[in-house]
Amino acid sequence: MSDKVVAVRSIDIVTAEIYTIRDNAARVFMDSVVQIGRRLEEAKQLVPHGEWTDYLDTKLGYKPSTAQNYMRIAREFGDGQVGLSGKTASDFFGNLGYSQLLPLLGLPEEEREQLAEEHDLAGMSSREIAALVKERDEAKAAAAAAQEQADKQGQEARSARSALATAKDKLKVQTQKAQEQAEAAKANAETAAELQRRLDELAAQANQPRDLTDEERAALRAEVVAEQSKALQAAEDRAAEALAKLEKFKNPAAHKVNFLFGELCEYWRRLQAALKELEQSDEEAAGKMKAAIGQVIGGWNL
């Protein structure tokens, strides 16, 4: 009887074989899920409307959620295309089980591949992968919120700068307007002062006494005579009117003379008052007027 030689296998060899078998089984499982998912997509188009859930239950024993997950896995992991990394979805996730694939559904392809490169997904449970995806989602949300806040603060800063620039422009316009108004007010004040100065000069010239020329004396004498004649004519007119009423008296001529004399006395009082007023403003002119009146009165022949 011959002795059989039994080869001694080390734990490392056995472990390596387990890894290989497990990975192969996982790859076969994933490929099976992808193949089933594709056919479920096809079957859904063939089953009459309203009978899909019954078909899954009676024919396949699947829940609608399970069939939905199979079809999603087929769409997201089963295209077989090589990505930008030079690998296919099977290269990244072919060794993951069904429950491990579910948390990765819905992630963008780039994010799924980045997770696979940064973590040993095959050695993690579905809960650990789900927690990792949640943590990543929360980090993205926080980053988006931070970016939104930064954008908001940037917008507020831009708005503040714009408001400051607008305020500066407005202040500049107001300052320029105030300067123009000040210059206009100064010009108006100078114009008013010049006008007042000229008025003062004219007033001073008007109040300054001066000698009358011969022509001015003659004109003044003529004006006085004309005024006297006008007054006498008015008196005569009033006398004529009175005479019409005094026709019943025996001597209307006497009444006429008496009436005209009264009018003359009244005119004489007015003339004296005017001369007195003239003396207060121009004594020399008043003296000359008195002399002229005396010449006129002295020339009357009664």
Side-chain angles (χ1 to χ4, degrees):
M1 183 176 180
S2 62
D3 296 331
K4 291 182 178 180
V5 179
V6 178
V8 178
R9 290 158 51 84
S10 66
I11 187 61
D12 294 334
I13 294 175
V14 175
T15 302
E17 290 177 352
I18 292 174
Y19 285 161
T20 300
I21 296 171
R22 185 194 64 182
D23 292 344
N24 289 335
R27 288 181 181 276
V28 172
F29 172 78
M30 180 179 176
D31 183 66
S32 299
V33 170
V34 169
Q35 295 299 328
I36 292 173
R38 289 175 177 171
R39 284 159 178 78
L40 285 172
E41 292 276 9
E42 184 179 0
K44 190 173 183 180
Q45 301 299 322
L46 299 174
V47 173
H49 181 71
E51 298 181 9
W52 174 244
T53 300
D54 183 66
Y55 168 78
L56 292 176
D57 181 38
T58 59
K59 298 295 184 179
L60 303 177
Y62 287 163
K63 295 180 179 179
S65 59
T66 302
Q68 182 66 25
N69 289 334
Y70 272 48
M71 289 186 289
R72 290 187 64 188
I73 291 174
R75 288 193 298 269
E76 298 188 25
F77 296 94
D79 55 11
Q81 295 182 359
V82 178
L84 297 177
S85 62
K87 298 180 180 179
T88 64
S90 180
D91 294 329
F92 283 107
F93 312 105
N95 56 350
L96 298 184
Y98 172 75
S99 61
Q100 292 172 305
L101 291 173
L102 294 180
L104 300 175
L105 291 174
L107 285 179
E109 181 181 352
E110 296 80 4
E111 293 187 17
R112 285 201 302 262
E113 292 180 356
Q114 186 176 1
L115 283 177
E117 290 178 346
E118 295 175 355
H119 303 277
D120 180 17
L121 299 180
M124 300 174 64
S125 65
S126 60
R127 289 186 178 182
E128 290 174 335
I129 295 176
L132 183 63
V133 172
K134 181 181 180 181
E135 180 181 352
R136 190 177 187 84
D137 290 341
E138 291 175 350
K140 284 181 62 179
Q147 183 62 44
E148 182 180 359
Q149 182 65 21
D151 294 341
K152 182 180 180 180
Q153 292 176 349
Q155 181 61 37
E156 291 175 351
R158 288 190 293 272
S159 298
R161 288 194 296 270
S162 177
L164 179 59
T166 302
K168 286 182 178 179
D169 293 340
K170 186 176 181 181
L171 179 60
K172 182 178 179 181
V173 172
Q174 291 177 345
T175 301
Q176 184 177 359
K177 185 176 180 180
Q179 290 176 349
E180 293 175 355
Q181 291 176 346
E183 292 175 358
K186 181 180 178 181
N188 291 337
E190 292 175 351
T191 302
E194 177 63 19
L195 180 59
Q196 185 62 44
R197 184 186 65 79
R198 294 179 61 186
L199 289 174
D200 292 342
E201 289 179 355
L202 292 174
Q205 292 175 2
N207 293 328
Q208 184 177 2
R210 63 184 181 88
D211 295 334
L212 296 176
T213 64
D214 293 339
E215 291 80 2
E216 290 175 335
R217 291 191 186 96
L220 182 60
R221 186 180 296 110
E223 182 178 353
V224 172
V225 172
E227 181 67 22
Q228 290 175 345
S229 299
K230 183 178 180 180
L232 289 174
Q233 183 63 44
E236 290 178 354
D237 292 341
R238 289 194 296 273
E241 183 180 357
L243 286 175
K245 297 179 180 180
L246 295 174
E247 288 181 357
K248 61 180 180 178
F249 294 101
K250 296 180 179 180
N251 192 359
H255 288 285
K256 180 178 180 181
V257 171
N258 184 60
F259 177 78
L260 290 176
F261 179 73
E263 291 290 324
L264 182 61
C265 291
E266 176 63 22
Y267 183 76
W268 181 254
R269 285 192 296 271
R270 290 173 57 194
L271 182 61
Q272 287 181 325
L275 287 171
K276 187 175 181 180
E277 183 178 355
L278 180 60
E279 284 179 343
Q280 293 178 357
S281 61
D282 193 344
E283 186 176 356
E284 181 180 358
K288 293 177 180 180
M289 288 295 300
K290 287 181 179 180
I293 294 171
Q295 291 178 3
V296 173
I297 294 175
W300 287 359
N301 186 12
L302 298 178

